[in-house]
Amino acid sequence: MMKRILVTGGAGFIGSHLCARLLNEGNDVICLDNYFTGNKENIISLIGNPHFEMVRHDVIHPYYVEVDQIYNLACPASPVHYQYNPIKTIKTSVMGAINMLGLAKRVNAKILQASTSEIYGDPFVHPQPESYWGNVNTIGIRSCYDEGKRCAETLFMDYHRQNNVKIKIIRIFNTYGPNMHPSDGRVVSNFIVQALKSENITIYGEGTQTRSFQYIDDLIEGMIRVMNTDDSFIGPINIGNPNEFTIMQLAERVLALTGSKSKIVKLDLPSDDPQQRKPDITLARNLLGWEPKVQLDKGLGKTINYFKTKVL
Ligand code: NAD
Ligand code: UDP
Ligand code: UDP
């Protein structure tokens, strides 16, 4: 049956893929965005579809609509952009969550929160299971994002316990792919753009810190499966690729796959940069029968092809 689905942050990297997939599955999709880091080009191929609607709106303000499901993605995700106006970032996470939960409560919609591996901070437990409470600085430069997202999880749980709102919390680990903005600032897009432009590859610190990179298609599949679980399942649930790489290894893969002659340079490591990150996806495997299918070289190849059309 056709559902009416609201995607906040729908013009961003993840949101644009989600809108396309939900439309393909025969739903009516409302893409809400303030275009802070998202842009209309990401959804240009959807414009004109009578089941697709765009709304320019900021989630820190109340929004009234009648929908069956809400995916709450509105929030800048790249450290460069979420640190540009940190007060706005935390307002977006917290006030945005309150407004979207208020909306879900009023219309009895199911609501999924795009939470993040950042809630584990610089983790002492490795890999990170959902039961780990994390190691997060409350007063650092990443706190506007990390604490905003942690508070949003708290709000989701309290709206569920207090008002019976149907919630799902997913914790997304580093995801990459087409539709990332060339100046997004996250590591995968930075390295690819630098390699394609023959600019220096900027490693922050020694490049020994690790991340586990998930290709966008795997995330979208996991996200939709979580939304469609029984109402009794609320999460949180990790959605990520457990293959872990150092940032130096990532730079080497990008250089090999682009055939670039770019040089690697080392810059200062920003404060509070997590040393390691890798999801424990046992829960997702058991509950959803889901696991990532696209490994790093293949996903990087597709992403490199996308950026060739943007920067060359
Ligand atoms: P993105 O920056 O490309 O997308 C975020 C979108 O939200 C943009 O379109 C932006 O314009 C919009 N937005 C920001 N503030 C808004 C506001 N106040 N009102 C309305 N719209 C607003 O980032 P992304 O990678 O697509 O991330 C989407 C969501 O997934 C974010 O909530 C992010 O925290 C979460 N997430 C992403 C990753 C990842 O690796 N990509 C990892 C963990 C969590
Ligand atoms: N809200 C919204 N859309 C709705 C319903 C509520 O944006 O359809 C906002 C509302 O403005 C409020 C917030 O969501 O600020 C929380 O709503 P809730 O009903 O939980 O709280 P209350 O209105 O009682 O403060
Ligand atoms: N990073 C890097 N060079 C860049 C961008 C990022 O070395 O040009 C590093 C960054 O310091 C971090 C890792 O890559 O250790 C992942 O950074 P990103 O901003 O992509 O995501 P997050 O730190 O939020 O996981």
Side-chain angles (χ1 to χ4, degrees):
M1 207 186 61
M2 178 185 268
K3 292 192 177 64
R4 192 176 304 146
I5 303 178
L6 173 65
V7 179
T8 78
F13 159 52
I14 297 173
S16 58
H17 289 272
L18 183 62
C19 286
R21 170 79 184 262
L22 293 170
L23 276 172
N24 265 339
E25 292 184 352
N27 299 292
D28 213 88
V29 175
I30 301 172
C31 166
L32 180 157
D33 210 293
N34 71 350
Y35 304 111
F36 174 48
T37 51
N39 64 83
K40 291 177 192 161
E41 262 190 44
N42 282 343
I43 43 177
I44 205 155
S45 64
L46 312 181
I47 297 171
N49 183 326
H51 295 293
F52 184 66
E53 251 174 283
M54 287 155 69
V55 178
R56 180 186 286 266
H57 181 79
D58 191 311
V59 289
I60 72 168
H61 303 298
Y63 176 66
Y64 289 82
V65 69
E66 316 306 312
V67 291
D68 304 301
Q69 294 184 350
I70 304 166
Y71 287 87
N72 188 37
L73 274 61
C75 186
S78 165
V80 185
H81 298 293
Y82 73 63
Q83 288 165 15
Y84 169 77
N85 183 347
I87 297 170
K88 178 66 195 248
T89 300
I90 198 158
K91 279 168 111 173
T92 294
S93 272
V94 175
M95 295 164 74
I98 292 173
N99 286 326
M100 292 309 108
L101 285 161
L103 168 62
K105 176 180 127 187
R106 182 178 62 80
V107 301
N108 195 26
K110 209 170 4 168
I111 179 166
L112 179 145
Q113 169 66 358
S115 190
T116 167
S117 54
E118 294 285 336
I119 71 107
Y120 301 120
D122 195 0
F124 292 127
V125 173
H126 194 76
Q128 294 80 52
E130 291 84 355
S131 55
Y132 179 48
W133 288 357
N135 172 42
V136 178
N137 183 0
T138 59
I139 56 174
I141 56 170
R142 294 174 81 99
S143 309
C144 61
Y145 183 77
D146 300 11
E147 295 292 4
K149 288 283 185 178
R150 287 172 68 95
C151 184
E153 286 200 6
T154 308
L155 283 161
F156 269 68
M157 290 305 299
D158 285 332
Y159 267 81
H160 173 69
R161 284 185 288 246
Q162 195 173 328
N163 297 320
N164 295 315
V165 174
K166 291 176 272 183
I167 64 156
K168 313 276 181 195
I169 297 170
I170 65 167
R171 294 184 179 149
I172 304 169
F173 283 66
N174 297 63
T175 304
Y176 68 96
N179 293 6
M180 293 186 91
H181 197 276
S183 52
D184 177 272
R186 280 174 282 185
V187 67
V188 175
S189 48
N190 269 10
F191 285 3
I192 292 176
V193 170
Q194 289 162 347
L196 293 177
K197 289 179 154 176
S198 303
E199 292 169 356
N200 290 338
I201 306 279
T202 55
I203 289 196
Y204 303 159
E206 291 302 312
T208 52
Q209 71 271 37
T210 70
R211 294 293 186 275
S212 304
F213 299 102
Q214 163 172 247
Y215 187 65
I216 182 68
D217 293 357
D218 287 326
L219 168 64
I220 298 299
E221 180 63 32
M223 249 178 155
I224 290 177
R225 288 201 199 182
V226 174
M227 181 60 109
N228 292 326
T229 52
D230 197 78
D231 286 351
S232 64
F233 180 76
I234 58 177
I237 180 167
N238 290 337
I239 300 289
N241 188 321
N243 280 347
E244 185 182 10
F245 296 88
T246 66
I247 296 304
M248 182 60 81
Q249 286 174 322
L250 176 72
E252 285 161 357
R253 290 320 304 148
V254 169
L255 284 173
L257 292 166
T258 53
S260 170
K261 298 273 184 297
S262 287
K263 289 193 174 49
I264 291 177
V265 296
K266 291 183 180 171
L267 304 181
D268 287 346
L269 185 68
S271 63
D272 294 348
D273 200 286
Q275 263 308 306
Q276 53 179 1
R277 192 176 293 141
K278 166 184 169 137
D280 178 333
I281 59 164
T282 309
L283 178 60
R285 278 202 176 100
N286 292 344
L287 180 88
L288 310 170
W290 171 92
E291 63 180 5
K293 293 203 160 56
V294 183
Q295 299 309 344
L296 190 64
D297 275 16
K298 190 166 164 214
L300 285 178
K302 292 175 184 227
T303 311
I304 289 165
N305 287 340
Y306 169 78
F307 278 112
K308 280 182 181 166
T309 69
K310 291 285 159 185
V311 300
L312 293 185

